[in-house]
Amino acid sequence: MKDLLLRGGRVADPASGLDAVRDVLLREGKVAAMEIPGQIQAPDAEVFNAKGLIVAPGLVDIHVHLREPGQAYKETIASGTAAAAAGGFTSVCAMPNTIPVNDSPEITRWMQAPDRGASARVFPIAAATLGSMGEALTNYSALKDAGAVAVTDDGKPILGDGIMLEALRSAAKVGLPVIQHAEDTRLTGGCSMNAGALAFRLGLRGMPVEAESGLVERDLSLLKKVKGGHLHVAHLSTKKALDAVRAARKSGLHVTCEVTPHHFALTEERIGLYDTNAKMNPPLRAEADRAAMIEGLLDGTIDAIATDHAPHAAHEKEQEFDRAPNGITGLETALGLAISLLHVQHKMPLPAVLALLSSRPARALGLTGRGALTVGSAADVLVFEPAERWVFHAADSRSRSKNTPFDGTEMQGRVRLTVGDGRVVFRAPR
Amino acid sequence: MAQTRNPSRKARQKPSAIPFFQPALFERPIHPRSAISSNDFSVAEVRRILMAADALEREDPLRRAKRLAKRRVALLFYESSTRTRTSFELAAKALGADTTLVSSLSSSIEKGESLKDTGITLKALGAECIILRSPYSGAPYLLARATGLPVLNAGDGMAEHPSQALLDLRTILQHLGVRAAAVSETCLRGVTVTICGDILHSRVARSNELLLPRLGAKVILCGPPQLLPETAAGMMPGIAIERDFDAALEQSQIVMMLRIQAERLAGLQIDLDDYRSRYQASAERIAAHAPTAVILHPGPIIRGMEMVSEVADGPQSAIAQQVHNGVPIRMALVARALSGEKKGGRR
């Protein structure tokens, strides 16, 4: 691997607080040097002119569905991580709802094997229960040894109090967070969007806000009983659940949470006339909830922006709204949406936006050495043009699937170069 | 669906100026002479449809049968139906069209063929208009986008049933003595229509809610909270909720009863004895609180549940007239869908 010298960019590393023009030398998969421009001597290195660009740690997405093993027609680890690289992500945490479910060290290792051809580092999140059936716990210590960074039954929330308590206890023992997709499915049978006036108008069954907040509140009450327990709430979407997390955090509980770009960028109105590319779970909510997500990002309650990248084939989304599967792709639009909404619209400083996409999610799931750009850290680097406005086209996506509500959306902030473990994994076409 | 054969082309031509809350980028436009929602019709268009229904009803059957002679209309029914299917079929045939019925139990739908593929197949067989009934809300939009054909919604899930709302309107106007030509934003001013029963699951209620207030009517929704959420009143100005059926009846000139849709209850538990005592159109209740009101029901009636036979078959009932009005209204909708295009015309 040739050395790479990123010359003259503004280095914004939210982990260390550095925000200054630096040359950065990447060597053998590590950040080898970072100096005031002109001081690094590396005659053999490939030089990338980063003048006028931001040099940031490679982004970290702690919630993606890579669909492998089992559903390669939607996505593969190779295609999903290629999309990640194009979106500036160098680390992705892969959810276990594969076929078969990733509930074993074997699958966990398989997902990380070099043969998968990944363009980003894949950190598997393993199933919290066998087959994600919510009955018997998986072997957390073996899964952790195999590389799992958390456990979850994402998409199949753990409803039983006893098993959830057991999961939190066992995970605490081995130092893993339990991630919950907070949805009380007893309240959401047959539902395909947010409950409320619009659902009534469209004749669709709606998921009440309480289905999310109720389960978050239940989980927080269980977490209180577990010494050293860590709960991470996936894709938060309602003000009520966010308020519960905020209060629990204040009371000293170890709870972290994430929000998706679509939940802070869009409302249920985006469904329009039954557009299945606006169907996901949790559903797009009302404006008050969207505004609460922005508020939670601005005030620091929300730890991470995570995409919940959920690719589906065209023929699956081209169905009646109730029949179409939940989920949208998100890896290539996250940075642009975060900059457009949080930095441009709500004046959040760029390093704070980057923290939500790198250092803070890395910390939330304990991904050591990721989401930081300092000498000695992994050579995971994102170089982007913060002011460039561009239009995202789903057809150009590296993902195998094109199910996104952001096709044709203009956004600000465009990736120029992504380096993962010292290797150039994405370079914007000139 | 935003998936398109070439989704980026359209987007590239016209990048959105406002990055968020933009309307969906649909694959293809909906055929403008589709009838999917009551909102598809302006008041002027409602007037034209009702006038066309009158004219077609009066027309000599032999002349009428030349209007759409040998044009092809497909009926695609994923749910059972008596009134709607028969009247759409009779309407298309009365205009001279060839009709074909595809239903879920006797077609490749059983083998898992998608709505999109079924629509494309019907179009390839020469269908110029598809009449769709589906258990899924919004399905007509999918079919219309997939085929580019005019789609007439014969009921989609819990969403809409616009031809029913139009025939209900025709029935109401006939009783009030308002001519079709007089249909306007104010033609139902001073008229109160109560819709009582399982509003939540009713596409008929939604289509009426979206139509009648635009003509000046006051619509009162009546039913228990489980079947009538507060959000129902938010659909349109001019809609109110009254839980006391007697009080609603006192104000109403028109009373539309709905059945409880057992097939869509999804686990909801309803105390039927309590329901009957509060919301049944019983002979005593109607005599006491709405002795002159016109009683409607879109059918099927569950006699002894929402309505007793004395009311259904009584002098105030206009239920058979509603059914009768189905054919002229649907003639007007089919004629409208196929107007302005040559036979076999493909776009």
Side-chain angles (χ1 to χ4, degrees):
Chain A
M1 201 172 355
K2 210 172 175 193
D3 294 354
L4 183 60
L5 179 61
L6 307 172
R7 191 168 266 169
R10 174 182 153 200
V11 172
D13 177 40
S16 64
L18 177 70
D19 186 359
V21 175
R22 291 283 185 274
D23 285 353
V24 180
L25 181 67
L26 308 177
R27 175 175 287 163
E28 286 161 8
K30 298 276 179 211
V31 177
M34 206 186 295
E35 299 291 345
I36 289 161
Q39 295 202 347
I40 297 175
Q41 299 304 317
D44 295 334
E46 182 196 336
V47 175
F48 183 88
N49 182 7
K51 214 166 189 168
L53 305 177
I54 300 222
V55 178
L59 305 182
V60 177
D61 189 345
I62 56 176
H63 194 142
V64 302
H65 299 269
L66 297 179
R67 304 299 188 206
E68 224 184 2
Q71 291 175 307
Y73 70 97
K74 294 177 196 257
E75 194 81 285
T76 61
I77 288 171
S79 66
T81 54
F89 291 92
T90 53
S91 302
V92 293
C93 298
M95 284 292 168
N97 63 335
T98 47
I99 301 175
V101 169
N102 177 19
D103 58 5
S104 69
E106 291 71 32
I107 300 175
T108 302
R109 286 196 198 92
W110 183 91
M111 290 169 77
Q112 301 167 87
D115 285 355
R116 300 291 83 74
S119 301
R121 178 66 181 267
V122 175
F123 293 96
I125 295 171
T129 67
L130 286 170
S132 285
M133 300 301 280
E135 284 159 13
L137 297 191
T138 49
N139 185 339
Y140 293 0
S141 76
L143 289 166
K144 188 182 183 186
D145 290 344
V149 295
V151 291
T152 187
D153 283 350
D154 184 51
K156 286 186 153 183
I158 307 172
L159 296 184
D161 295 356
I163 188 84
M164 185 62 183
L165 188 60
E166 232 186 286
L168 287 165
R169 284 205 171 116
S170 303
K173 270 186 210 141
V174 298
L176 288 179
V178 176
I179 302 177
Q180 178 82 295
H181 162 124
E183 175 194 355
D184 187 339
T185 48
R186 290 163 297 201
L187 301 177
T188 58
C191 296
S192 53
M193 67 171 290
N194 183 40
L198 187 64
F200 181 85
R201 160 72 189 86
L202 292 172
L204 296 171
R205 295 175 197 275
M207 303 187 193
V209 160
E210 289 73 23
E212 178 174 286
S213 61
L215 205 58
V216 169
E217 284 157 11
R218 192 280 313 255
D219 288 346
L220 290 169
S221 73
L222 294 176
L223 183 64
K224 266 185 217 153
K225 301 179 189 169
V226 180
K227 203 167 173 232
H230 174 195
L231 173 73
H232 178 79
V233 184
H235 45 48
L236 210 74
S237 69
T238 63
K239 178 176 191 304
K240 214 168 167 194
L242 178 63
D243 288 346
V245 168
R246 195 181 272 127
R249 177 93 48 89
K250 265 193 194 131
S251 79
L253 286 182
H254 188 191
V255 53
T256 52
C257 65
E258 71 196 29
V259 66
T260 70
H262 45 280
H263 285 111
F264 67 75
L266 301 174
T267 69
E268 58 185 352
E269 298 288 336
R270 178 61 183 77
I271 291 168
L273 295 175
Y274 307 90
D275 187 343
T276 57
N277 283 329
K279 180 182 177 184
M280 69 290 287
N281 188 4
L284 296 175
R285 303 282 186 181
E287 173 58 19
D289 286 314
R290 187 197 73 89
M293 295 305 109
I294 294 273
E295 189 57 42
L297 288 161
L298 295 175
D299 74 14
T301 306
I302 295 166
D303 298 275
I305 295 169
T307 66
D308 194 8
H309 177 82
H312 292 294
H315 71 269
E316 297 173 303
K317 280 294 197 181
E318 285 181 337
Q319 293 195 83
E320 295 90 335
F321 198 85
D322 274 331
R323 300 179 82 184
N326 285 308
I328 60 169
T329 60
L331 285 162
E332 288 153 286
T333 46
L335 178 67
L337 291 168
I339 290 175
S340 300
L341 277 138
L342 299 177
H343 178 59
V344 179
Q345 201 178 335
H346 289 280
K347 312 295 171 215
M348 188 183 218
L350 216 39
V353 176
L354 292 171
L356 283 163
L357 286 158
S358 57
S359 56
R360 296 182 64 201
R363 196 185 322 141
L365 293 200
L367 311 181
T368 41
R370 307 286 158 175
L373 190 57
T374 45
V375 175
S377 68
D380 288 351
V381 187
L382 157 67
V383 183
F384 70 101
E385 159 62 82
E388 184 177 339
R389 298 191 68 84
W390 61 290
V391 176
F392 172 70
H393 298 294
D396 300 340
S397 170
R398 263 82 175 164
S399 169
R400 248 184 209 191
S401 296
K402 316 293 174 195
N403 52 307
T404 164
F406 296 111
D407 189 21
T409 298
E410 189 181 55
M411 50 191 88
Q412 182 172 327
R414 190 165 208 181
V415 178
R416 285 290 179 76
L417 183 78
T418 308
V419 182
D421 285 320
R423 186 163 62 95
V424 173
V425 286
F426 174 78
R427 199 187 287 267
R430 279 273 151 187
Chain B
M1 291 324 95
Q3 263 82 13
T4 80
R5 269 194 239 122
N6 186 351
S8 62
R9 196 177 53 184
K10 191 174 160 196
R12 279 204 177 105
Q13 285 166 350
K14 208 179 155 212
S16 110
I18 309 159
F20 307 107
F21 313 117
Q22 59 182 351
L25 282 177
F26 292 129
E27 181 177 353
R28 294 170 69 171
I30 308 292
H31 192 287
R33 283 184 299 281
S34 292
I36 300 178
S37 163
S38 286
N39 273 341
D40 294 348
F41 315 122
S42 65
V43 171
E45 204 143 16
V46 172
R47 181 168 60 238
R48 278 197 291 276
I49 290 166
L50 291 178
M51 289 172 73
D54 287 356
L56 289 167
E57 191 178 34
R58 280 195 306 266
E59 192 171 31
D60 168 56
L62 292 176
R63 275 193 60 183
R64 190 169 61 199
K66 294 196 176 106
R67 286 184 173 269
L68 299 180
K70 303 313 281 179
R71 306 227 6 215
R72 289 180 185 168
V73 172
L75 294 105
L76 178 54
F77 274 63
Y78 288 79
E79 265 185 356
S80 57
S81 166
T82 304
R83 276 156 294 271
T84 305
R85 199 189 79 193
T86 310
S87 61
F88 261 121
E89 193 168 354
L90 290 173
K93 284 193 164 126
L95 297 168
D98 285 344
T99 63
T100 181
L101 171 69
V102 178
S103 69
S104 47
L105 286 181
S106 58
S107 65
S108 289
I109 295 163
E110 245 185 325
K111 303 172 191 162
E113 187 162 42
S114 68
L115 177 60
K116 176 181 167 176
D117 283 330
T118 305
I120 290 169
T121 301
L122 291 174
K123 185 180 184 181
L125 288 168
E128 298 173 71
C129 167
I130 302 176
I131 297 160
L132 174 69
R133 167 162 290 191
S134 167
Y136 297 108
S137 299
Y141 293 102
L142 172 64
L143 183 66
R145 286 179 205 126
T147 61
L149 294 176
V151 169
L152 304 184
N153 181 4
D156 63 322
M158 298 162 19
E160 290 225 41
H161 196 349
S163 64
Q164 178 73 39
L166 289 169
L167 71 88
D168 290 341
L169 175 63
R170 189 172 199 248
T171 311
I172 292 167
L173 294 174
Q174 286 167 342
H175 277 271
L176 297 172
V178 177
R179 288 173 306 111
V183 165
S184 71
E185 282 85 353
T186 56
C187 67
L188 293 180
R189 189 167 280 176
V191 176
T192 298
V193 181
T194 284
I195 307 177
C196 178
D198 184 357
I199 310 283
L200 176 62
H201 301 110
S202 175
R203 50 201 179 204
V204 175
R206 284 180 181 75
S207 282
N208 272 299
E209 281 184 68
L210 291 174
L211 178 65
L212 299 177
R214 289 196 285 134
L215 306 175
K218 180 181 175 193
V219 171
I220 296 178
L221 303 176
C222 184
Q226 287 165 295
L227 299 178
L228 171 55
E230 289 293 328
T231 49
M235 262 177 100
M236 271 261 180
I239 298 174
I241 290 178
E242 170 59 72
R243 305 271 177 203
D244 181 342
F245 190 27
D246 294 347
L249 287 174
E250 296 281 354
Q251 306 169 55
S252 302
Q253 291 76 49
I254 312 289
V255 178
M256 186 182 299
M257 300 303 298
L258 302 173
R259 77 184 167 100
I260 295 179
Q261 301 201 22
E263 72 274 29
R264 294 187 226 276
L265 284 185
L268 215 57
Q269 297 295 321
I270 308 287
D271 178 342
L272 294 179
D273 282 333
D274 183 62
Y275 183 85
R276 268 187 285 253
S277 76
R278 288 173 196 271
Y279 302 108
Q280 187 184 62
S282 65
E284 302 75 34
R285 177 171 267 144
I286 295 298
H289 301 288
T292 60
V294 178
I295 311 287
L296 305 178
H297 194 306
I301 303 170
I302 312 298
R303 289 182 185 238
M305 179 51 65
E306 71 273 9
M307 186 180 274
V308 298
S309 285
E310 289 86 333
V311 173
D313 305 331
Q316 289 173 252
S317 168
I319 296 169
Q321 190 182 348
Q322 281 175 282
V323 177
H324 173 86
N325 280 333
V327 177
I329 285 293
R330 286 166 179 138
M331 281 197 289
L333 290 174
V334 173
R336 173 179 174 268
L338 290 182
S339 65
E341 273 169 43
K342 292 277 182 307
K343 186 186 169 190
R346 295 266 174 81
R347 290 158 317 108

